Amino acid sequence: MASPKTTFICNQCGASSPRWLGKCPGCGAWNTLVESVPETAGAGKNRLGAGFASLAPNSPVRPLAVIEAVDVARTPTGQPELDRVLGGGIVEGGVVLIGGDPGIGKSTLLLQALDALQRADLPAPGGGEVPGGGTLYVTGEESGAQVALRARRLGITGSQVAVLAEIQLERILATLAEQRPAVAVIDSIQTVYSDQLTSAPGSVAQVRECAAHLTRWAKSSGCAIVLVGHVTKDGQLAGPRVLEHMVDTVLYFEGDTHSSYRLIRAIKNRFGAVNEIGVFAMTEKGLKGVSNPSAIFLSQHSQPVPGSCVLVTLEGTRPMLVEIQALVDTGGVSPRRLSVGLERDRLAMLLAVLHQHAGVATGDQDVFVNAVGGVRISEPAADLAVMLTITSSLRGKALPKGFLAFGEVGLAGEVRPAPRGQERLKEAAKLGFSVAVVPKANAPKKADKAFEGLTIHAVERVDEAMALVRGLD
Ligand SMILES: Nc1ncnc2c1ncn2[C@@H]1O[C@H](COP(=O)(O)OP(=O)(O)OP(=O)(O)O)[C@@H](O)[C@H]1O
Ligand SMILES: [Mg+2]
């Protein structure tokens, strides 16, 4: 059967062309034409946008004040760390996109969660008028036997999770309509393709179209859908950017595949706080939640070593202690600045501030910075610790035992406060740290038992911090 005709639409100006062109005939932009299904009167309701209108066909226009604010009901997934990032659990009709590097454990985590949900006896979605309920795992990457093998390794026996090895969207939708599961996992969205398009699975057009149809199904049926997404080489979710807008929650699974710890982070959540993280340890029996992760990213030095400083970072609601390491070495003609887990541009900026405001020159040196344990730190509160680590390595002098620092550093050399400084200090004191260098505004105003054993030095400027640390030698 000939496939239905498709058009190519510019994703910047919306101009259409019957065939693919490198340059958009409308706005002249390059490489912006994407294949899509042409909108006809009949097909219109199958498309995103038009589709959502049908969700509440009879809903009248009402003033906001008279609309009852109903709390969304959440079903816990049996993985408290996953529930934490989801904002409490799976929401009926909610669509979650979870991305992560190959082999990080996406399929493992979701299979574990589905099994726990299945055992929890889920109600039928959409108010229960239609029979259904339970879970469906759609795998496009593995065969049913491979999924069974994984289940056996994870110690999941006698699982009633329904498994479908399928990559064609229309058949997946038909199965969803027939089974009416309460939760469905699509592993992965990049392998799903729709018959309506001629482009290959994983292409921008296919991913967008398939995700739109699945999202629409979730909204109209009340089935919660979890989409697994691939990531590109630089860690972004593969496929169109619009994918992240379409779904309710975007989660990233990250971590160093060489270490057993994995972090799951909410980037967007319509039903909860973002930047909340969940911490897991990968074991032979699958992923196990780590409920008290504050000390897992510290390497165990028996004696302090140069080029190492501990930072208290706040991820979501939990403070975590992370060791930052630096190595400064004589560079070649063009010295290198490399960072793992921290932003490289920020590192370049901090080195400039260090030079201008603290007189520490690294212009002819290679500088390598690493956050231990594969954790990615994006908050600027890491600045002070990074700078102190670099100077420590440059001087070949270790920071004192039990030392930690945090604080944002500005271009003028000022040390700015980090959010919720007191909580960070309390966590450090709890873990037995003894010396802290923190921004002035974060220093506790009055003595508190919670900071006992921790000597807190407040600084306002970078040079002040450097002088203070030299005084601690
Ligand atoms: N026998 C085992 N013991 C311990 N860990 C294992 C074992 N087998 C697999 N693993 C872990 O499980 C990981 C694979 O997990 P999983 O297949 O869930 O990843 P994924 O994110 O779904 O990958 P992909 O993107 O390729 O689908 C491996 O990288 C490994 O760390
Ligand atoms: Mg997988």
Side-chain angles (χ1 to χ4, degrees):
M1 194 185 85
S3 60
K5 247 187 139 31
T6 56
T7 55
F8 291 81
I9 311 262
C10 170
N11 56 23
Q12 287 196 1
C13 73
S16 70
S17 155
R19 62 202 162 85
W20 190 82
L21 297 168
K23 188 178 179 186
C24 168
C27 63
W30 287 95
N31 210 10
T32 54
L33 290 191
V34 170
E35 188 188 24
S36 59
V37 185
E39 301 224 17
T40 58
K45 52 179 197 307
N46 288 331
R47 293 191 47 82
L48 183 70
F52 286 117
S54 65
L55 303 184
N58 302 320
S59 93
V61 177
R62 284 180 297 166
L64 184 57
V66 304
I67 302 176
E68 200 186 341
V70 192
D71 273 337
V72 281
R74 294 166 192 280
T75 316
T77 59
Q79 294 269 3
E81 292 294 302
L82 179 60
D83 291 341
R84 174 191 288 278
V85 281
L86 286 171
I90 293 265
V91 175
E92 193 178 292
V95 182
V96 179
L97 175 63
I98 171 164
D101 288 337
I104 195 94
K106 302 179 291 295
S107 308
T108 306
L109 176 68
L110 293 173
L111 192 60
Q112 285 180 280
L114 273 193
D115 182 62
L117 283 165
Q118 176 72 41
R119 286 170 204 272
D121 208 9
L122 294 165
E129 308 97 42
V130 196
T135 56
L136 177 68
Y137 181 78
V138 181
T139 169
E141 295 186 342
E142 293 160 308
S143 63
Q146 276 175 298
V147 177
L149 207 64
R150 172 177 297 122
R152 195 176 69 187
R153 175 166 67 81
L154 299 177
I156 300 173
T157 48
S159 177
Q160 293 304 310
V161 174
V163 177
L164 171 72
E166 181 58 70
I167 56 172
Q168 203 210 329
L169 176 74
E170 287 72 19
R171 281 195 223 135
I172 295 173
L173 286 171
T175 311
L176 285 170
E178 185 197 307
Q179 302 259 324
R180 306 284 299 189
V183 184
V185 169
I186 312 292
D187 190 0
S188 64
I189 187 69
Q190 272 80 13
T191 54
V192 180
Y193 76 97
S194 163
D195 256 356
Q196 306 225 25
L197 297 173
T198 52
S199 30
S203 63
V204 169
Q206 286 284 9
V207 170
R208 189 181 64 187
E209 200 64 22
C210 295
H213 274 94
L214 290 164
T215 307
R216 195 169 152 263
W217 168 259
K219 301 294 163 199
S220 59
S221 69
C223 167
I225 291 190
V226 182
L227 305 174
V228 175
H230 291 175
V231 292
T232 57
K233 215 164 62 200
D234 39 276
Q236 298 290 311
L237 272 159
R241 185 84 201 173
V242 68
L243 191 57
E244 289 170 54
H245 291 288
M246 258 183 228
V247 300
D248 299 308
T249 306
V250 180
L251 305 181
Y252 268 81
F253 210 173
E254 59 187 50
D256 187 350
T257 31
H258 304 295
S259 103
S260 62
Y261 292 111
R262 305 279 188 272
L263 299 184
I264 186 160
R265 199 186 288 273
I267 301 296
K268 155 183 171 176
N269 195 352
R270 288 188 184 144
F271 305 116
V274 285
N275 279 335
E276 193 64 271
I277 65 162
V279 184
F280 292 93
M282 177 62 99
T283 68
E284 203 160 313
K285 290 255 171 265
L287 289 153
K288 295 236 158 28
V290 179
S291 53
N292 187 8
S294 59
I296 60 171
F297 296 111
L298 300 177
S299 54
Q300 309 292 332
H301 302 294
S302 51
Q303 280 303 315
V305 291
S308 158
C309 178
V310 173
L311 151 83
V312 195
T313 168
L314 205 84
E315 294 288 355
T317 49
R318 287 188 299 187
M320 278 203 316
L321 284 95
V322 178
E323 179 183 337
I324 307 286
Q325 296 185 333
L327 183 64
V328 182
D329 190 23
T330 321
V333 190
S334 50
R336 291 193 289 172
R337 277 92 180 75
L338 283 181
S339 65
V340 180
L342 294 144
E343 280 172 51
R344 200 162 67 166
D345 291 345
R346 190 126 194 126
L347 173 64
M349 190 197 98
L350 295 179
L351 290 175
V353 174
L354 207 54
H355 183 210
Q356 280 297 321
H357 297 287
V360 180
T362 53
D364 55 351
Q365 310 275 330
D366 284 342
V367 180
F368 306 99
V369 181
N370 173 35
V372 170
V375 56
R376 252 181 248 170
I377 299 171
S378 52
E379 65 162 2
D383 294 351
L384 194 58
V386 172
M387 288 175 130
L388 289 172
T389 320
I390 292 168
T391 40
S392 159
S393 172
L394 195 63
R395 297 167 63 226
K397 280 243 181 268
L399 291 159
K401 207 173 162 70
F403 182 93
L404 79 112
F406 62 84
E408 180 179 345
V409 174
L411 286 179
E414 79 279 19
V415 178
R416 298 196 205 122
R420 316 232 294 273
Q422 312 271 309
E423 259 173 69
R424 297 179 198 240
L425 286 170
K426 277 182 194 156
E427 189 66 27
K430 202 167 90 191
L431 289 167
F433 279 77
S434 49
V435 192
V437 174
V438 301
K440 187 146 193 216
N442 285 141
K445 304 283 174 294
K446 52 183 190 305
D448 186 331
K449 258 189 107 93
F451 305 120
E452 224 166 39
L454 187 65
T455 313
I456 299 166
H457 300 281
V459 293
E460 279 181 289
R461 299 199 47 81
V462 173
D463 42 340
E464 207 183 315
M466 298 300 152
L468 195 138
V469 167
R470 273 195 296 272
L472 295 174
D473 280 352

